[in-house]
Amino acid sequence: TVPPGIRVKLGTSTPPTVTSTDVIAPIISGVLSTSTASSSSRILWNTNESATGKVWYGTSTPVVATGTTAMVSTSSLVMSHDILLTSLSASTTYYFVVESADVSGNSARATELTFTTLAQ
């Protein structure tokens, strides 16, 4: 902030407007699959700022995040993410990648991980 006396000398009575643009993507941590059953698995992770959540998944590696890859998402801005994958095949290994984006649109993806559904 500029002291009032300096503002008068500069010819302005209002403080200058400071704007900042968020260019930092959320940091993703603690990614894991849990509550895995024969046809579902819950994917959990955290971000250091409020962000959306997305899980790309499939039965082959590497998981490619495109429109043809299976994906479940939420637009809620949260720091603790919890997405349930359903309609999975029993006794099958799945590969997945999580992605989060903050309110400014900065996005990050975590490293690919796996889980195996249980037998029926």
Side-chain angles (χ1 to χ4, degrees):
T1 57
V2 178
I6 301 296
R7 284 194 300 237
V8 170
K9 288 190 182 251
L10 292 174
T12 179
S13 60
T14 58
T17 303
V18 177
T19 59
S20 64
T21 303
D22 177 10
V23 295
I24 307 294
I27 297 172
I28 296 172
S29 63
V31 181
L32 63 99
S33 63
T34 186
S35 303
T36 302
S38 61
S39 64
S40 65
S41 187
R42 187 171 299 283
I43 309 300
L44 307 173
W45 73 97
N46 297 308
T47 50
N48 67 326
E49 63 178 308
S50 294
T52 60
K54 192 178 287 187
V55 179
W56 303 89
Y57 65 99
T59 56
S60 61
T61 186
V63 173
V64 180
T66 67
T68 58
T69 302
M71 183 266 297
V72 177
S73 67
T74 178
S75 59
S76 299
L77 294 169
V78 297
M79 294 173 66
S80 294
H81 303 268
D82 181 341
I83 292 184
L84 180 65
L85 306 180
T86 60
S87 301
L88 305 177
S89 299
S91 302
T92 303
T93 298
Y94 283 88
Y95 302 88
F96 69 97
V97 174
V98 302
E99 178 178 294
S100 285
D102 64 18
V103 70
S104 297
N106 303 305
S107 65
R109 285 190 190 142
T111 304
E112 182 179 281
L113 296 171
T114 67
F115 64 88
T116 302
T117 53
L118 303 178
Q120 282 187 316

PDB file of all heavy atoms in Angstrom, residues 2-3 8-9 12-13 17 19-20 28-29 40 43 51 54 59 61 64 66 74 77-80 87 93 106 120:
ATOM      1  N   VAL A   2       0.339   2.270  -0.583  1.00  0.00           N
ATOM      2  CA  VAL A   2       1.051   3.542  -0.661  1.00  0.00           C
ATOM      3  C   VAL A   2       0.509   4.442   0.450  1.00  0.00           C
ATOM      4  O   VAL A   2      -0.705   4.611   0.573  1.00  0.00           O
ATOM      5  CB  VAL A   2       0.823   4.196  -2.050  1.00  0.00           C
ATOM      6  CG1 VAL A   2       1.513   5.541  -2.127  1.00  0.00           C
ATOM      7  CG2 VAL A   2       1.313   3.281  -3.153  1.00  0.00           C
ATOM      8  N   PRO A   3       1.404   5.030   1.275  1.00  0.00           N
ATOM      9  CA  PRO A   3       0.937   5.925   2.335  1.00  0.00           C
ATOM     10  C   PRO A   3       0.147   7.105   1.760  1.00  0.00           C
ATOM     11  O   PRO A   3       0.423   7.565   0.655  1.00  0.00           O
ATOM     12  CB  PRO A   3       2.224   6.404   3.004  1.00  0.00           C
ATOM     13  CG  PRO A   3       3.251   5.380   2.630  1.00  0.00           C
ATOM     14  CD  PRO A   3       2.836   4.869   1.288  1.00  0.00           C
ATOM     15  N   VAL A   8      -0.993  11.701  -2.280  1.00  0.00           N
ATOM     16  CA  VAL A   8      -1.276  13.108  -2.566  1.00  0.00           C
ATOM     17  C   VAL A   8      -0.201  13.668  -3.484  1.00  0.00           C
ATOM     18  O   VAL A   8      -0.490  14.354  -4.463  1.00  0.00           O
ATOM     19  CB  VAL A   8      -1.382  13.921  -1.257  1.00  0.00           C
ATOM     20  CG1 VAL A   8      -1.427  15.420  -1.555  1.00  0.00           C
ATOM     21  CG2 VAL A   8      -2.604  13.494  -0.466  1.00  0.00           C
ATOM     22  N   LYS A   9       1.050  13.369  -3.195  1.00  0.00           N
ATOM     23  CA  LYS A   9       2.149  13.856  -4.038  1.00  0.00           C
ATOM     24  C   LYS A   9       2.070  13.279  -5.450  1.00  0.00           C
ATOM     25  O   LYS A   9       2.471  13.915  -6.408  1.00  0.00           O
ATOM     26  CB  LYS A   9       3.495  13.526  -3.415  1.00  0.00           C
ATOM     27  CG  LYS A   9       3.786  14.368  -2.198  1.00  0.00           C
ATOM     28  CD  LYS A   9       5.216  14.193  -1.766  1.00  0.00           C
ATOM     29  CE  LYS A   9       5.443  15.009  -0.530  1.00  0.00           C
ATOM     30  NZ  LYS A   9       6.264  16.153  -0.737  1.00  0.00           N
ATOM     31  N   THR A  12      -3.067  11.216  -6.644  1.00  0.00           N
ATOM     32  CA  THR A  12      -4.179  10.277  -6.574  1.00  0.00           C
ATOM     33  C   THR A  12      -4.588  10.101  -5.114  1.00  0.00           C
ATOM     34  O   THR A  12      -3.757  10.084  -4.224  1.00  0.00           O
ATOM     35  CB  THR A  12      -3.832   8.914  -7.201  1.00  0.00           C
ATOM     36  OG1 THR A  12      -4.958   8.064  -7.073  1.00  0.00           O
ATOM     37  CG2 THR A  12      -2.658   8.257  -6.536  1.00  0.00           C
ATOM     38  N   SER A  13      -5.875   9.989  -4.879  1.00  0.00           N
ATOM     39  CA  SER A  13      -6.336   9.820  -3.503  1.00  0.00           C
ATOM     40  C   SER A  13      -6.732   8.386  -3.210  1.00  0.00           C
ATOM     41  O   SER A  13      -6.994   8.023  -2.081  1.00  0.00           O
ATOM     42  CB  SER A  13      -7.523  10.752  -3.232  1.00  0.00           C
ATOM     43  OG  SER A  13      -8.572  10.442  -4.118  1.00  0.00           O
ATOM     44  N   THR A  17      -4.926  -0.256  -7.721  1.00  0.00           N
ATOM     45  CA  THR A  17      -5.549  -1.570  -7.744  1.00  0.00           C
ATOM     46  C   THR A  17      -4.492  -2.608  -8.083  1.00  0.00           C
ATOM     47  O   THR A  17      -3.758  -2.463  -9.056  1.00  0.00           O
ATOM     48  CB  THR A  17      -6.667  -1.620  -8.792  1.00  0.00           C
ATOM     49  OG1 THR A  17      -7.597  -0.590  -8.480  1.00  0.00           O
ATOM     50  CG2 THR A  17      -7.355  -2.960  -8.804  1.00  0.00           C
ATOM     51  N   THR A  19      -3.939  -6.521  -9.005  1.00  0.00           N
ATOM     52  CA  THR A  19      -4.604  -7.756  -9.426  1.00  0.00           C
ATOM     53  C   THR A  19      -3.560  -8.848  -9.550  1.00  0.00           C
ATOM     54  O   THR A  19      -2.401  -8.600  -9.867  1.00  0.00           O
ATOM     55  CB  THR A  19      -5.311  -7.587 -10.784  1.00  0.00           C
ATOM     56  OG1 THR A  19      -4.348  -7.209 -11.762  1.00  0.00           O
ATOM     57  CG2 THR A  19      -6.406  -6.541 -10.710  1.00  0.00           C
ATOM     58  N   SER A  20      -3.987 -10.050  -9.281  1.00  0.00           N
ATOM     59  CA  SER A  20      -3.087 -11.180  -9.452  1.00  0.00           C
ATOM     60  C   SER A  20      -3.843 -12.285 -10.172  1.00  0.00           C
ATOM     61  O   SER A  20      -5.056 -12.412 -10.029  1.00  0.00           O
ATOM     62  CB  SER A  20      -2.566 -11.680  -8.110  1.00  0.00           C
ATOM     63  OG  SER A  20      -3.633 -12.167  -7.339  1.00  0.00           O
ATOM     64  N   ILE A  28      -1.733 -32.458  -6.194  1.00  0.00           N
ATOM     65  CA  ILE A  28      -2.490 -33.678  -5.895  1.00  0.00           C
ATOM     66  C   ILE A  28      -1.649 -34.569  -4.989  1.00  0.00           C
ATOM     67  O   ILE A  28      -0.456 -34.769  -5.236  1.00  0.00           O
ATOM     68  CB  ILE A  28      -2.851 -34.416  -7.193  1.00  0.00           C
ATOM     69  CG1 ILE A  28      -3.780 -33.557  -8.048  1.00  0.00           C
ATOM     70  CG2 ILE A  28      -3.470 -35.778  -6.896  1.00  0.00           C
ATOM     71  CD1 ILE A  28      -4.043 -34.103  -9.448  1.00  0.00           C
ATOM     72  N   SER A  29      -2.287 -35.114  -3.955  1.00  0.00           N
ATOM     73  CA  SER A  29      -1.573 -36.019  -3.044  1.00  0.00           C
ATOM     74  C   SER A  29      -2.524 -37.096  -2.517  1.00  0.00           C
ATOM     75  O   SER A  29      -3.739 -36.950  -2.595  1.00  0.00           O
ATOM     76  CB  SER A  29      -0.976 -35.240  -1.870  1.00  0.00           C
ATOM     77  OG  SER A  29      -2.012 -34.645  -1.104  1.00  0.00           O
ATOM     78  N   SER A  40     -17.069 -52.305  -8.444  1.00  0.00           N
ATOM     79  CA  SER A  40     -16.885 -50.888  -8.123  1.00  0.00           C
ATOM     80  C   SER A  40     -15.598 -50.664  -7.332  1.00  0.00           C
ATOM     81  O   SER A  40     -15.043 -51.595  -6.749  1.00  0.00           O
ATOM     82  CB  SER A  40     -18.074 -50.359  -7.318  1.00  0.00           C
ATOM     83  OG  SER A  40     -18.131 -51.003  -6.058  1.00  0.00           O
ATOM     84  N   ILE A  43     -12.240 -43.968  -5.540  1.00  0.00           N
ATOM     85  CA  ILE A  43     -10.947 -43.328  -5.731  1.00  0.00           C
ATOM     86  C   ILE A  43     -10.921 -42.059  -4.880  1.00  0.00           C
ATOM     87  O   ILE A  43     -11.810 -41.217  -4.984  1.00  0.00           O
ATOM     88  CB  ILE A  43     -10.702 -42.976  -7.215  1.00  0.00           C
ATOM     89  CG1 ILE A  43     -10.937 -44.191  -8.130  1.00  0.00           C
ATOM     90  CG2 ILE A  43      -9.301 -42.398  -7.401  1.00  0.00           C
ATOM     91  CD1 ILE A  43     -10.053 -45.379  -7.846  1.00  0.00           C
ATOM     92  N   ALA A  51     -10.690 -27.653  -5.799  1.00  0.00           N
ATOM     93  CA  ALA A  51     -10.560 -28.012  -7.212  1.00  0.00           C
ATOM     94  C   ALA A  51     -11.621 -29.050  -7.578  1.00  0.00           C
ATOM     95  O   ALA A  51     -12.196 -29.701  -6.713  1.00  0.00           O
ATOM     96  CB  ALA A  51      -9.160 -28.578  -7.482  1.00  0.00           C
ATOM     97  N   LYS A  54     -11.613 -35.513 -11.392  1.00  0.00           N
ATOM     98  CA  LYS A  54     -11.883 -36.340 -12.559  1.00  0.00           C
ATOM     99  C   LYS A  54     -11.036 -37.592 -12.461  1.00  0.00           C
ATOM    100  O   LYS A  54      -9.870 -37.515 -12.083  1.00  0.00           O
ATOM    101  CB  LYS A  54     -11.516 -35.544 -13.815  1.00  0.00           C
ATOM    102  CG  LYS A  54     -11.984 -36.113 -15.113  1.00  0.00           C
ATOM    103  CD  LYS A  54     -11.588 -35.197 -16.279  1.00  0.00           C
ATOM    104  CE  LYS A  54     -12.437 -33.944 -16.297  1.00  0.00           C
ATOM    105  NZ  LYS A  54     -12.210 -33.105 -17.491  1.00  0.00           N
ATOM    106  N   THR A  59      -8.826 -50.630 -18.807  1.00  0.00           N
ATOM    107  CA  THR A  59      -8.164 -51.911 -18.546  1.00  0.00           C
ATOM    108  C   THR A  59      -6.828 -52.048 -19.266  1.00  0.00           C
ATOM    109  O   THR A  59      -6.217 -53.108 -19.230  1.00  0.00           O
ATOM    110  CB  THR A  59      -9.089 -53.077 -18.947  1.00  0.00           C
ATOM    111  OG1 THR A  59      -9.457 -52.913 -20.319  1.00  0.00           O
ATOM    112  CG2 THR A  59     -10.331 -53.102 -18.078  1.00  0.00           C
ATOM    113  N   THR A  61      -2.959 -49.977 -20.234  1.00  0.00           N
ATOM    114  CA  THR A  61      -2.054 -48.900 -19.857  1.00  0.00           C
ATOM    115  C   THR A  61      -1.237 -48.475 -21.067  1.00  0.00           C
ATOM    116  O   THR A  61      -0.964 -49.316 -21.928  1.00  0.00           O
ATOM    117  CB  THR A  61      -1.136 -49.346 -18.689  1.00  0.00           C
ATOM    118  OG1 THR A  61      -0.363 -48.236 -18.256  1.00  0.00           O
ATOM    119  CG2 THR A  61      -0.252 -50.499 -19.065  1.00  0.00           C
ATOM    120  N   VAL A  64      -5.107 -42.976 -21.431  1.00  0.00           N
ATOM    121  CA  VAL A  64      -5.038 -41.764 -22.240  1.00  0.00           C
ATOM    122  C   VAL A  64      -6.283 -40.934 -21.948  1.00  0.00           C
ATOM    123  O   VAL A  64      -7.407 -41.403 -22.129  1.00  0.00           O
ATOM    124  CB  VAL A  64      -4.951 -42.107 -23.742  1.00  0.00           C
ATOM    125  CG1 VAL A  64      -4.886 -40.836 -24.570  1.00  0.00           C
ATOM    126  CG2 VAL A  64      -3.747 -42.996 -24.014  1.00  0.00           C
ATOM    127  N   THR A  66      -8.689 -38.924 -22.997  1.00  0.00           N
ATOM    128  CA  THR A  66      -9.357 -38.404 -24.194  1.00  0.00           C
ATOM    129  C   THR A  66     -10.852 -38.646 -24.071  1.00  0.00           C
ATOM    130  O   THR A  66     -11.308 -39.306 -23.139  1.00  0.00           O
ATOM    131  CB  THR A  66      -8.860 -39.105 -25.473  1.00  0.00           C
ATOM    132  OG1 THR A  66      -9.280 -40.474 -25.430  1.00  0.00           O
ATOM    133  CG2 THR A  66      -7.370 -39.012 -25.633  1.00  0.00           C
ATOM    134  N   THR A  74     -16.557 -34.688 -11.213  1.00  0.00           N
ATOM    135  CA  THR A  74     -17.410 -33.824 -10.417  1.00  0.00           C
ATOM    136  C   THR A  74     -16.932 -32.391 -10.582  1.00  0.00           C
ATOM    137  O   THR A  74     -15.727 -32.146 -10.672  1.00  0.00           O
ATOM    138  CB  THR A  74     -17.416 -34.226  -8.927  1.00  0.00           C
ATOM    139  OG1 THR A  74     -18.230 -33.294  -8.210  1.00  0.00           O
ATOM    140  CG2 THR A  74     -16.036 -34.236  -8.336  1.00  0.00           C
ATOM    141  N   LEU A  77     -15.999 -27.854  -6.198  1.00  0.00           N
ATOM    142  CA  LEU A  77     -14.663 -27.387  -5.813  1.00  0.00           C
ATOM    143  C   LEU A  77     -14.407 -27.783  -4.362  1.00  0.00           C
ATOM    144  O   LEU A  77     -14.945 -27.178  -3.437  1.00  0.00           O
ATOM    145  CB  LEU A  77     -14.568 -25.869  -5.989  1.00  0.00           C
ATOM    146  CG  LEU A  77     -14.648 -25.367  -7.427  1.00  0.00           C
ATOM    147  CD1 LEU A  77     -14.805 -23.863  -7.467  1.00  0.00           C
ATOM    148  CD2 LEU A  77     -13.420 -25.795  -8.215  1.00  0.00           C
ATOM    149  N   VAL A  78     -13.604 -28.831  -4.181  1.00  0.00           N
ATOM    150  CA  VAL A  78     -13.301 -29.369  -2.858  1.00  0.00           C
ATOM    151  C   VAL A  78     -11.808 -29.691  -2.768  1.00  0.00           C
ATOM    152  O   VAL A  78     -11.114 -29.722  -3.779  1.00  0.00           O
ATOM    153  CB  VAL A  78     -14.126 -30.647  -2.563  1.00  0.00           C
ATOM    154  CG1 VAL A  78     -15.621 -30.334  -2.542  1.00  0.00           C
ATOM    155  CG2 VAL A  78     -13.828 -31.737  -3.583  1.00  0.00           C
ATOM    156  N   MET A  79     -11.346 -29.953  -1.552  1.00  0.00           N
ATOM    157  CA  MET A  79      -9.955 -30.344  -1.357  1.00  0.00           C
ATOM    158  C   MET A  79      -9.805 -31.841  -1.091  1.00  0.00           C
ATOM    159  O   MET A  79      -8.732 -32.397  -1.293  1.00  0.00           O
ATOM    160  CB  MET A  79      -9.337 -29.524  -0.219  1.00  0.00           C
ATOM    161  CG  MET A  79      -9.229 -28.043  -0.575  1.00  0.00           C
ATOM    162  SD  MET A  79      -8.695 -26.978   0.786  1.00  0.00           S
ATOM    163  CE  MET A  79      -7.029 -27.539   1.047  1.00  0.00           C
ATOM    164  N   SER A  80     -10.873 -32.488  -0.631  1.00  0.00           N
ATOM    165  CA  SER A  80     -10.889 -33.939  -0.413  1.00  0.00           C
ATOM    166  C   SER A  80     -11.794 -34.557  -1.465  1.00  0.00           C
ATOM    167  O   SER A  80     -13.004 -34.335  -1.444  1.00  0.00           O
ATOM    168  CB  SER A  80     -11.409 -34.273   0.990  1.00  0.00           C
ATOM    169  OG  SER A  80     -10.514 -33.801   1.949  1.00  0.00           O
ATOM    170  N   SER A  87     -20.002 -50.221 -12.369  1.00  0.00           N
ATOM    171  CA  SER A  87     -20.173 -51.029 -13.586  1.00  0.00           C
ATOM    172  C   SER A  87     -18.851 -51.593 -14.091  1.00  0.00           C
ATOM    173  O   SER A  87     -18.617 -51.689 -15.303  1.00  0.00           O
ATOM    174  CB  SER A  87     -20.874 -50.229 -14.691  1.00  0.00           C
ATOM    175  OG  SER A  87     -22.145 -49.795 -14.252  1.00  0.00           O
ATOM    176  N   THR A  93      -8.017 -56.028 -13.681  1.00  0.00           N
ATOM    177  CA  THR A  93      -7.118 -54.947 -13.297  1.00  0.00           C
ATOM    178  C   THR A  93      -7.496 -53.696 -14.072  1.00  0.00           C
ATOM    179  O   THR A  93      -7.643 -53.735 -15.298  1.00  0.00           O
ATOM    180  CB  THR A  93      -5.654 -55.317 -13.583  1.00  0.00           C
ATOM    181  OG1 THR A  93      -5.318 -56.466 -12.792  1.00  0.00           O
ATOM    182  CG2 THR A  93      -4.710 -54.173 -13.250  1.00  0.00           C
ATOM    183  N   ASN A 106      -6.461 -23.988 -13.895  1.00  0.00           N
ATOM    184  CA  ASN A 106      -5.157 -24.660 -13.841  1.00  0.00           C
ATOM    185  C   ASN A 106      -5.394 -26.109 -13.446  1.00  0.00           C
ATOM    186  O   ASN A 106      -6.070 -26.375 -12.454  1.00  0.00           O
ATOM    187  CB  ASN A 106      -4.256 -23.988 -12.800  1.00  0.00           C
ATOM    188  CG  ASN A 106      -4.075 -22.514 -13.071  1.00  0.00           C
ATOM    189  OD1 ASN A 106      -3.674 -22.124 -14.148  1.00  0.00           O
ATOM    190  ND2 ASN A 106      -4.397 -21.695 -12.081  1.00  0.00           N
ATOM    191  N   GLN A 120     -16.443 -62.374  -8.291  1.00  0.00           N
ATOM    192  CA  GLN A 120     -17.852 -62.328  -7.882  1.00  0.00           C
ATOM    193  C   GLN A 120     -18.164 -63.381  -6.866  1.00  0.00           C
ATOM    194  O   GLN A 120     -17.647 -64.421  -6.775  1.00  0.00           O
ATOM    195  CB  GLN A 120     -18.768 -62.514  -9.093  1.00  0.00           C
ATOM    196  CG  GLN A 120     -18.851 -61.245  -9.871  1.00  0.00           C
ATOM    197  CD  GLN A 120     -19.880 -61.319 -10.987  1.00  0.00           C
ATOM    198  OE1 GLN A 120     -19.956 -62.307 -11.706  1.00  0.00           O
ATOM    199  NE2 GLN A 120     -20.665 -60.284 -11.117  1.00  0.00           N
TER     200      GLN A 120
END
